[in-house]
mmCIF file of all heavy atoms in Angstrom:
data_model
loop_
_atom_site.group_PDB
_atom_site.id
_atom_site.type_symbol
_atom_site.label_atom_id
_atom_site.label_comp_id
_atom_site.label_asym_id
_atom_site.label_seq_id
_atom_site.Cartn_x
_atom_site.Cartn_y
_atom_site.Cartn_z
ATOM 1 N N ALA X 1 -13.602 1.762 -4.213
ATOM 2 C CA ALA X 1 -14.716 2.140 -3.366
ATOM 3 C C ALA X 1 -16.019 2.023 -4.202
ATOM 4 O O ALA X 1 -15.978 2.141 -5.418
ATOM 5 C CB ALA X 1 -14.532 3.524 -2.779
ATOM 6 N N PRO X 2 -17.153 1.882 -3.617
ATOM 7 C CA PRO X 2 -18.470 1.834 -4.395
ATOM 8 C C PRO X 2 -18.579 3.065 -5.324
ATOM 9 O O PRO X 2 -18.442 4.135 -4.877
ATOM 10 C CB PRO X 2 -19.501 1.848 -3.324
ATOM 11 C CG PRO X 2 -18.849 1.241 -2.120
ATOM 12 C CD PRO X 2 -17.449 1.743 -2.144
ATOM 13 N N GLY X 3 -18.888 2.715 -6.569
ATOM 14 C CA GLY X 3 -19.138 3.727 -7.561
ATOM 15 C C GLY X 3 -17.884 4.439 -8.087
ATOM 16 O O GLY X 3 -17.928 5.376 -8.837
ATOM 17 N N LYS X 4 -16.724 3.915 -7.674
ATOM 18 C CA LYS X 4 -15.429 4.506 -8.063
ATOM 19 C C LYS X 4 -14.577 3.621 -8.828
ATOM 20 O O LYS X 4 -14.756 2.362 -8.664
ATOM 21 C CB LYS X 4 -14.705 5.136 -6.861
ATOM 22 C CG LYS X 4 -15.424 6.325 -6.211
ATOM 23 C CD LYS X 4 -14.595 6.890 -5.120
ATOM 24 C CE LYS X 4 -15.208 8.118 -4.478
ATOM 25 N NZ LYS X 4 -14.348 8.719 -3.461
ATOM 26 N N GLN X 5 -13.644 4.110 -9.579
ATOM 27 C CA GLN X 5 -12.681 3.238 -10.218
ATOM 28 C C GLN X 5 -11.649 2.619 -9.259
ATOM 29 O O GLN X 5 -11.303 3.281 -8.247
ATOM 30 C CB GLN X 5 -11.969 4.041 -11.319
ATOM 31 C CG GLN X 5 -12.853 4.404 -12.503
ATOM 32 C CD GLN X 5 -12.060 4.951 -13.693
ATOM 33 O OE1 GLN X 5 -11.052 5.553 -13.540
ATOM 34 N NE2 GLN X 5 -12.534 4.717 -14.927
ATOM 35 N N ARG X 6 -11.098 1.519 -9.608
ATOM 36 C CA ARG X 6 -10.017 0.968 -8.909
ATOM 37 C C ARG X 6 -8.833 1.819 -8.992
ATOM 38 O O ARG X 6 -8.409 2.296 -10.086
ATOM 39 C CB ARG X 6 -9.740 -0.411 -9.386
ATOM 40 C CG ARG X 6 -8.756 -1.275 -8.466
ATOM 41 C CD ARG X 6 -8.612 -2.691 -8.895
ATOM 42 N NE ARG X 6 -9.920 -3.365 -8.874
ATOM 43 C CZ ARG X 6 -10.069 -4.728 -9.052
ATOM 44 N NH1 ARG X 6 -9.035 -5.380 -9.285
ATOM 45 N NH2 ARG X 6 -11.207 -5.269 -8.963
ATOM 46 N N GLU X 7 -8.151 2.061 -7.900
ATOM 47 C CA GLU X 7 -6.973 2.959 -7.881
ATOM 48 C C GLU X 7 -5.765 2.304 -7.186
ATOM 49 O O GLU X 7 -5.987 1.541 -6.241
ATOM 50 C CB GLU X 7 -7.294 4.389 -7.127
ATOM 51 C CG GLU X 7 -7.669 4.196 -5.682
ATOM 52 C CD GLU X 7 -7.874 5.586 -5.040
ATOM 53 O OE1 GLU X 7 -7.614 6.562 -5.616
ATOM 54 O OE2 GLU X 7 -8.225 5.552 -3.825
ATOM 55 N N LEU X 8 -4.568 2.677 -7.576
ATOM 56 C CA LEU X 8 -3.428 2.205 -6.942
ATOM 57 C C LEU X 8 -3.170 2.910 -5.714
ATOM 58 O O LEU X 8 -3.154 4.165 -5.573
ATOM 59 C CB LEU X 8 -2.219 2.373 -7.932
ATOM 60 C CG LEU X 8 -0.848 2.026 -7.384
ATOM 61 C CD1 LEU X 8 -0.764 0.440 -7.095
ATOM 62 C CD2 LEU X 8 0.309 2.389 -8.376
ATOM 63 N N VAL X 9 -2.966 2.174 -4.627
ATOM 64 C CA VAL X 9 -2.681 2.706 -3.276
ATOM 65 C C VAL X 9 -1.229 2.712 -3.018
ATOM 66 O O VAL X 9 -0.614 3.838 -2.618
ATOM 67 C CB VAL X 9 -3.356 1.856 -2.126
ATOM 68 C CG1 VAL X 9 -2.967 2.379 -0.831
ATOM 69 C CG2 VAL X 9 -4.818 1.857 -2.355
ATOM 70 N N ALA X 10 -0.538 1.670 -3.266
ATOM 71 C CA ALA X 10 0.956 1.549 -3.095
ATOM 72 C C ALA X 10 1.540 0.355 -3.898
ATOM 73 O O ALA X 10 0.777 -0.589 -4.154
ATOM 74 C CB ALA X 10 1.256 1.343 -1.595
ATOM 75 N N SER X 11 2.758 0.466 -4.186
ATOM 76 C CA SER X 11 3.388 -0.589 -4.932
ATOM 77 C C SER X 11 4.838 -0.783 -4.361
ATOM 78 O O SER X 11 5.491 0.141 -3.881
ATOM 79 C CB SER X 11 3.418 -0.457 -6.440
ATOM 80 O OG SER X 11 4.113 0.761 -6.794
ATOM 81 N N ILE X 12 5.415 -1.918 -4.598
ATOM 82 C CA ILE X 12 6.810 -2.195 -4.200
ATOM 83 C C ILE X 12 7.382 -3.210 -5.227
ATOM 84 O O ILE X 12 6.747 -4.159 -5.609
ATOM 85 C CB ILE X 12 6.877 -2.799 -2.741
ATOM 86 C CG1 ILE X 12 8.230 -3.029 -2.359
ATOM 87 C CG2 ILE X 12 6.017 -4.135 -2.655
ATOM 88 C CD1 ILE X 12 8.405 -3.287 -0.823
ATOM 89 N N ASN X 13 8.557 -2.769 -5.710
ATOM 90 C CA ASN X 13 9.122 -3.599 -6.871
ATOM 91 C C ASN X 13 10.013 -4.690 -6.261
ATOM 92 O O ASN X 13 10.168 -4.746 -5.018
ATOM 93 C CB ASN X 13 9.883 -2.597 -7.825
ATOM 94 C CG ASN X 13 11.020 -1.909 -7.180
ATOM 95 O OD1 ASN X 13 11.627 -2.411 -6.236
ATOM 96 N ND2 ASN X 13 11.264 -0.714 -7.719
ATOM 97 N N SER X 14 10.637 -5.396 -7.166
ATOM 98 C CA SER X 14 11.482 -6.564 -6.715
ATOM 99 C C SER X 14 12.659 -6.118 -5.919
ATOM 100 O O SER X 14 13.195 -6.937 -5.044
ATOM 101 C CB SER X 14 11.890 -7.391 -7.883
ATOM 102 O OG SER X 14 12.572 -6.613 -8.807
ATOM 103 N N GLY X 15 13.117 -4.910 -6.101
ATOM 104 C CA GLY X 15 14.270 -4.465 -5.333
ATOM 105 C C GLY X 15 13.877 -3.756 -4.004
ATOM 106 O O GLY X 15 14.748 -3.306 -3.317
ATOM 107 N N GLY X 16 12.607 -3.623 -3.776
ATOM 108 C CA GLY X 16 12.125 -3.046 -2.581
ATOM 109 C C GLY X 16 11.725 -1.591 -2.610
ATOM 110 O O GLY X 16 11.373 -1.000 -1.574
ATOM 111 N N GLY X 17 11.931 -0.962 -3.818
ATOM 112 C CA GLY X 17 11.494 0.373 -3.952
ATOM 113 C C GLY X 17 10.039 0.519 -3.996
ATOM 114 O O GLY X 17 9.281 -0.315 -4.570
ATOM 115 N N SER X 18 9.481 1.575 -3.337
ATOM 116 C CA SER X 18 8.003 1.683 -3.196
ATOM 117 C C SER X 18 7.606 3.091 -3.632
ATOM 118 O O SER X 18 8.340 4.021 -3.617
ATOM 119 C CB SER X 18 7.641 1.359 -1.702
ATOM 120 O OG SER X 18 8.305 2.299 -0.838
ATOM 121 N N ASN X 19 6.242 3.104 -3.899
ATOM 122 C CA ASN X 19 5.678 4.397 -4.088
ATOM 123 C C ASN X 19 4.257 4.338 -3.672
ATOM 124 O O ASN X 19 3.666 3.251 -3.468
ATOM 125 C CB ASN X 19 5.658 4.825 -5.551
ATOM 126 C CG ASN X 19 4.859 3.968 -6.484
ATOM 127 O OD1 ASN X 19 5.158 2.859 -6.747
ATOM 128 N ND2 ASN X 19 3.732 4.514 -6.932
ATOM 129 N N TYR X 20 3.649 5.519 -3.396
ATOM 130 C CA TYR X 20 2.331 5.603 -2.742
ATOM 131 C C TYR X 20 1.531 6.700 -3.350
ATOM 132 O O TYR X 20 1.999 7.614 -3.947
ATOM 133 C CB TYR X 20 2.578 6.073 -1.266
ATOM 134 C CG TYR X 20 3.318 5.044 -0.434
ATOM 135 C CD1 TYR X 20 4.656 5.108 -0.315
ATOM 136 C CD2 TYR X 20 2.651 4.047 0.277
ATOM 137 C CE1 TYR X 20 5.382 4.183 0.424
ATOM 138 C CE2 TYR X 20 3.318 3.165 1.039
ATOM 139 C CZ TYR X 20 4.696 3.233 1.076
ATOM 140 O OH TYR X 20 5.389 2.306 1.804
ATOM 141 N N ALA X 21 0.194 6.462 -3.390
ATOM 142 C CA ALA X 21 -0.721 7.480 -3.791
ATOM 143 C C ALA X 21 -0.572 8.623 -2.816
ATOM 144 O O ALA X 21 -0.358 8.413 -1.607
ATOM 145 C CB ALA X 21 -2.108 6.959 -3.758
ATOM 146 N N ASP X 22 -0.806 9.904 -3.281
ATOM 147 C CA ASP X 22 -0.663 11.018 -2.421
ATOM 148 C C ASP X 22 -1.648 10.954 -1.235
ATOM 149 O O ASP X 22 -1.328 11.401 -0.119
ATOM 150 C CB ASP X 22 -0.933 12.280 -3.192
ATOM 151 C CG ASP X 22 0.099 12.680 -4.180
ATOM 152 O OD1 ASP X 22 1.271 12.120 -3.986
ATOM 153 O OD2 ASP X 22 -0.086 13.435 -5.149
ATOM 154 N N SER X 23 -2.766 10.318 -1.397
ATOM 155 C CA SER X 23 -3.780 10.287 -0.374
ATOM 156 C C SER X 23 -3.361 9.450 0.744
ATOM 157 O O SER X 23 -4.024 9.530 1.833
ATOM 158 C CB SER X 23 -5.113 9.815 -0.953
ATOM 159 O OG SER X 23 -4.994 8.537 -1.520
ATOM 160 N N VAL X 24 -2.450 8.532 0.624
ATOM 161 C CA VAL X 24 -2.013 7.703 1.757
ATOM 162 C C VAL X 24 -0.567 7.943 2.199
ATOM 163 O O VAL X 24 -0.202 7.194 3.140
ATOM 164 C CB VAL X 24 -2.263 6.201 1.372
ATOM 165 C CG1 VAL X 24 -3.696 5.911 0.839
ATOM 166 C CG2 VAL X 24 -1.248 5.754 0.336
ATOM 167 N N LYS X 25 0.111 8.728 1.616
ATOM 168 C CA LYS X 25 1.498 8.990 2.030
ATOM 169 C C LYS X 25 1.678 9.485 3.391
ATOM 170 O O LYS X 25 0.919 10.247 3.841
ATOM 171 C CB LYS X 25 2.111 10.005 1.110
ATOM 172 C CG LYS X 25 2.571 9.593 -0.225
ATOM 173 C CD LYS X 25 3.285 10.695 -1.080
ATOM 174 C CE LYS X 25 3.675 10.165 -2.422
ATOM 175 N NZ LYS X 25 4.258 11.262 -3.307
ATOM 176 N N GLY X 26 2.486 8.809 4.140
ATOM 177 C CA GLY X 26 2.653 9.089 5.557
ATOM 178 C C GLY X 26 1.803 8.272 6.453
ATOM 179 O O GLY X 26 1.940 8.323 7.683
ATOM 180 N N ARG X 27 0.834 7.582 5.892
ATOM 181 C CA ARG X 27 -0.134 6.803 6.751
ATOM 182 C C ARG X 27 -0.040 5.304 6.412
ATOM 183 O O ARG X 27 -0.282 4.471 7.368
ATOM 184 C CB ARG X 27 -1.642 7.314 6.422
ATOM 185 C CG ARG X 27 -1.868 8.742 6.784
ATOM 186 C CD ARG X 27 -3.311 9.076 6.678
ATOM 187 N NE ARG X 27 -3.829 8.858 5.379
ATOM 188 C CZ ARG X 27 -4.926 8.014 5.055
ATOM 189 N NH1 ARG X 27 -5.485 7.335 6.044
ATOM 190 N NH2 ARG X 27 -5.314 7.934 3.832
ATOM 191 N N PHE X 28 0.314 4.908 5.221
ATOM 192 C CA PHE X 28 0.269 3.518 4.860
ATOM 193 C C PHE X 28 1.740 3.152 4.505
ATOM 194 O O PHE X 28 2.501 4.007 4.015
ATOM 195 C CB PHE X 28 -0.515 3.378 3.527
ATOM 196 C CG PHE X 28 -2.037 3.426 3.714
ATOM 197 C CD1 PHE X 28 -2.609 3.901 4.884
ATOM 198 C CD2 PHE X 28 -2.857 2.968 2.672
ATOM 199 C CE1 PHE X 28 -3.957 3.993 5.058
ATOM 200 C CE2 PHE X 28 -4.225 3.086 2.803
ATOM 201 C CZ PHE X 28 -4.817 3.586 4.018
ATOM 202 N N THR X 29 2.073 1.898 4.759
ATOM 203 C CA THR X 29 3.379 1.355 4.520
ATOM 204 C C THR X 29 3.242 0.007 3.796
ATOM 205 O O THR X 29 2.632 -0.868 4.383
ATOM 206 C CB THR X 29 4.262 1.316 5.740
ATOM 207 O OG1 THR X 29 4.322 2.521 6.418
ATOM 208 C CG2 THR X 29 5.640 0.815 5.406
ATOM 209 N N ILE X 30 3.844 -0.105 2.654
ATOM 210 C CA ILE X 30 3.869 -1.375 1.961
ATOM 211 C C ILE X 30 5.197 -2.080 2.158
ATOM 212 O O ILE X 30 6.238 -1.423 2.370
ATOM 213 C CB ILE X 30 3.644 -1.171 0.512
ATOM 214 C CG1 ILE X 30 3.389 -2.465 -0.276
ATOM 215 C CG2 ILE X 30 4.853 -0.413 -0.217
ATOM 216 C CD1 ILE X 30 2.946 -2.362 -1.708
ATOM 217 N N SER X 31 5.124 -3.449 2.308
ATOM 218 C CA SER X 31 6.347 -4.246 2.543
ATOM 219 C C SER X 31 6.135 -5.568 1.930
ATOM 220 O O SER X 31 5.049 -5.977 1.544
ATOM 221 C CB SER X 31 6.699 -4.345 4.039
ATOM 222 O OG SER X 31 5.679 -4.944 4.743
ATOM 223 N N ARG X 32 7.214 -6.357 1.811
ATOM 224 C CA ARG X 32 7.189 -7.674 1.258
ATOM 225 C C ARG X 32 8.230 -8.546 1.938
ATOM 226 O O ARG X 32 9.198 -8.075 2.423
ATOM 227 C CB ARG X 32 7.403 -7.656 -0.282
ATOM 228 C CG ARG X 32 8.796 -7.240 -0.707
ATOM 229 C CD ARG X 32 8.867 -6.983 -2.156
ATOM 230 N NE ARG X 32 8.551 -8.189 -2.999
ATOM 231 C CZ ARG X 32 8.256 -8.247 -4.272
ATOM 232 N NH1 ARG X 32 8.224 -7.078 -4.956
ATOM 233 N NH2 ARG X 32 8.068 -9.324 -4.876
ATOM 234 N N ASP X 33 7.897 -9.782 1.911
ATOM 235 C CA ASP X 33 8.877 -10.822 2.467
ATOM 236 C C ASP X 33 8.832 -11.933 1.375
ATOM 237 O O ASP X 33 7.994 -12.805 1.343
ATOM 238 C CB ASP X 33 8.278 -11.335 3.746
ATOM 239 C CG ASP X 33 9.232 -12.356 4.409
ATOM 240 O OD1 ASP X 33 10.048 -13.026 3.702
ATOM 241 O OD2 ASP X 33 9.209 -12.425 5.668
ATOM 242 N N ASN X 34 9.960 -11.867 0.613
ATOM 243 C CA ASN X 34 9.922 -12.854 -0.495
ATOM 244 C C ASN X 34 10.135 -14.259 -0.023
ATOM 245 O O ASN X 34 9.694 -15.190 -0.675
ATOM 246 C CB ASN X 34 11.069 -12.468 -1.519
ATOM 247 C CG ASN X 34 10.832 -11.193 -2.251
ATOM 248 O OD1 ASN X 34 9.677 -10.877 -2.483
ATOM 249 N ND2 ASN X 34 11.852 -10.512 -2.618
ATOM 250 N N ALA X 35 10.833 -14.465 1.078
ATOM 251 C CA ALA X 35 10.988 -15.871 1.632
ATOM 252 C C ALA X 35 9.664 -16.430 1.956
ATOM 253 O O ALA X 35 9.490 -17.599 1.899
ATOM 254 C CB ALA X 35 11.899 -15.819 2.841
ATOM 255 N N LYS X 36 8.737 -15.568 2.459
ATOM 256 C CA LYS X 36 7.399 -16.066 2.870
ATOM 257 C C LYS X 36 6.452 -15.970 1.711
ATOM 258 O O LYS X 36 5.228 -16.312 1.834
ATOM 259 C CB LYS X 36 6.876 -15.309 4.041
ATOM 260 C CG LYS X 36 7.683 -15.572 5.367
ATOM 261 C CD LYS X 36 7.107 -14.803 6.553
ATOM 262 C CE LYS X 36 7.861 -15.051 7.829
ATOM 263 N NZ LYS X 36 7.325 -14.349 8.942
ATOM 264 N N LYS X 37 6.873 -15.364 0.606
ATOM 265 C CA LYS X 37 5.962 -15.032 -0.468
ATOM 266 C C LYS X 37 4.741 -14.257 -0.014
ATOM 267 O O LYS X 37 3.590 -14.692 -0.276
ATOM 268 C CB LYS X 37 5.518 -16.343 -1.270
ATOM 269 C CG LYS X 37 6.648 -17.031 -2.006
ATOM 270 C CD LYS X 37 6.157 -18.199 -2.767
ATOM 271 C CE LYS X 37 7.311 -18.905 -3.520
ATOM 272 N NZ LYS X 37 6.838 -20.035 -4.351
ATOM 273 N N ALA X 38 5.007 -13.199 0.617
ATOM 274 C CA ALA X 38 4.010 -12.423 1.236
ATOM 275 C C ALA X 38 4.221 -10.943 1.050
ATOM 276 O O ALA X 38 5.372 -10.518 0.979
ATOM 277 C CB ALA X 38 3.789 -12.730 2.702
ATOM 278 N N ALA X 39 3.179 -10.142 1.003
ATOM 279 C CA ALA X 39 3.210 -8.769 0.980
ATOM 280 C C ALA X 39 2.268 -8.191 2.039
ATOM 281 O O ALA X 39 1.260 -8.813 2.325
ATOM 282 C CB ALA X 39 2.989 -8.177 -0.455
ATOM 283 N N TYR X 40 2.486 -6.952 2.476
ATOM 284 C CA TYR X 40 1.760 -6.406 3.488
ATOM 285 C C TYR X 40 1.417 -4.901 3.228
ATOM 286 O O TYR X 40 2.151 -4.269 2.551
ATOM 287 C CB TYR X 40 2.509 -6.480 4.811
ATOM 288 C CG TYR X 40 2.988 -7.908 5.166
ATOM 289 C CD1 TYR X 40 4.235 -8.237 4.866
ATOM 290 C CD2 TYR X 40 2.126 -8.858 5.712
ATOM 291 C CE1 TYR X 40 4.778 -9.514 5.052
ATOM 292 C CE2 TYR X 40 2.606 -10.130 5.942
ATOM 293 C CZ TYR X 40 3.939 -10.504 5.609
ATOM 294 O OH TYR X 40 4.412 -11.812 5.860
ATOM 295 N N LEU X 41 0.308 -4.488 3.808
ATOM 296 C CA LEU X 41 -0.003 -3.079 3.721
ATOM 297 C C LEU X 41 -0.332 -2.653 5.112
ATOM 298 O O LEU X 41 -1.461 -3.031 5.628
ATOM 299 C CB LEU X 41 -1.118 -2.719 2.730
ATOM 300 C CG LEU X 41 -1.403 -1.302 2.581
ATOM 301 C CD1 LEU X 41 -0.240 -0.592 1.808
ATOM 302 C CD2 LEU X 41 -2.717 -1.110 1.700
ATOM 303 N N GLN X 42 0.440 -1.930 5.857
ATOM 304 C CA GLN X 42 0.208 -1.387 7.135
ATOM 305 C C GLN X 42 -0.584 -0.021 6.972
ATOM 306 O O GLN X 42 -0.009 0.837 6.302
ATOM 307 C CB GLN X 42 1.480 -1.218 7.962
ATOM 308 C CG GLN X 42 1.274 -0.512 9.310
ATOM 309 C CD GLN X 42 0.507 -1.437 10.237
ATOM 310 O OE1 GLN X 42 0.739 -2.641 10.297
ATOM 311 N NE2 GLN X 42 -0.427 -0.887 11.043
ATOM 312 N N MET X 43 -1.742 0.008 7.499
ATOM 313 C CA MET X 43 -2.573 1.214 7.341
ATOM 314 C C MET X 43 -2.756 1.925 8.652
ATOM 315 O O MET X 43 -3.489 1.252 9.566
ATOM 316 C CB MET X 43 -3.951 0.838 6.630
ATOM 317 C CG MET X 43 -3.671 0.126 5.338
ATOM 318 S SD MET X 43 -5.301 -0.106 4.457
ATOM 319 C CE MET X 43 -6.093 -1.258 5.628
ATOM 320 N N ASP X 44 -2.330 3.039 8.868
ATOM 321 C CA ASP X 44 -2.465 3.792 10.115
ATOM 322 C C ASP X 44 -3.278 5.065 9.873
ATOM 323 O O ASP X 44 -3.442 5.516 8.721
ATOM 324 C CB ASP X 44 -1.047 4.090 10.660
ATOM 325 C CG ASP X 44 -0.237 2.946 11.045
ATOM 326 O OD1 ASP X 44 -0.806 1.897 11.600
ATOM 327 O OD2 ASP X 44 0.928 2.932 10.752
ATOM 328 N N SER X 45 -3.742 5.643 10.969
ATOM 329 C CA SER X 45 -4.578 6.902 10.858
ATOM 330 C C SER X 45 -5.593 6.724 9.848
ATOM 331 O O SER X 45 -5.776 7.693 8.963
ATOM 332 C CB SER X 45 -3.606 8.027 10.524
ATOM 333 O OG SER X 45 -2.638 8.180 11.496
ATOM 334 N N LEU X 46 -6.360 5.721 9.833
ATOM 335 C CA LEU X 46 -7.373 5.464 8.826
ATOM 336 C C LEU X 46 -8.443 6.476 8.869
ATOM 337 O O LEU X 46 -8.839 6.917 9.957
ATOM 338 C CB LEU X 46 -7.973 4.066 8.931
ATOM 339 C CG LEU X 46 -7.111 2.941 8.444
ATOM 340 C CD1 LEU X 46 -7.430 1.635 9.099
ATOM 341 C CD2 LEU X 46 -7.058 2.855 6.956
ATOM 342 N N LYS X 47 -9.007 6.790 7.652
ATOM 343 C CA LYS X 47 -10.022 7.754 7.493
ATOM 344 C C LYS X 47 -11.284 7.074 6.906
ATOM 345 O O LYS X 47 -11.071 6.122 6.176
ATOM 346 C CB LYS X 47 -9.550 8.890 6.528
ATOM 347 C CG LYS X 47 -8.328 9.628 7.071
ATOM 348 C CD LYS X 47 -7.865 10.583 6.028
ATOM 349 C CE LYS X 47 -6.566 11.388 6.472
ATOM 350 N NZ LYS X 47 -6.110 12.367 5.489
ATOM 351 N N PRO X 48 -12.408 7.663 7.083
ATOM 352 C CA PRO X 48 -13.626 7.082 6.371
ATOM 353 C C PRO X 48 -13.481 6.915 4.911
ATOM 354 O O PRO X 48 -14.001 5.961 4.269
ATOM 355 C CB PRO X 48 -14.824 7.996 6.767
ATOM 356 C CG PRO X 48 -14.340 8.568 8.014
ATOM 357 C CD PRO X 48 -12.824 8.732 7.962
#
């Protein structure tokens, strides 16, 4: 965000294990599709 440091929101490892920042737990979901070489971040209940 403007004037702030870059922060980790979510990560997913090669085995599919994921972790989230406390601020987004329960609202964001990270996923990956290795066959498509793609990753996704579903963000729900977004806040300003």
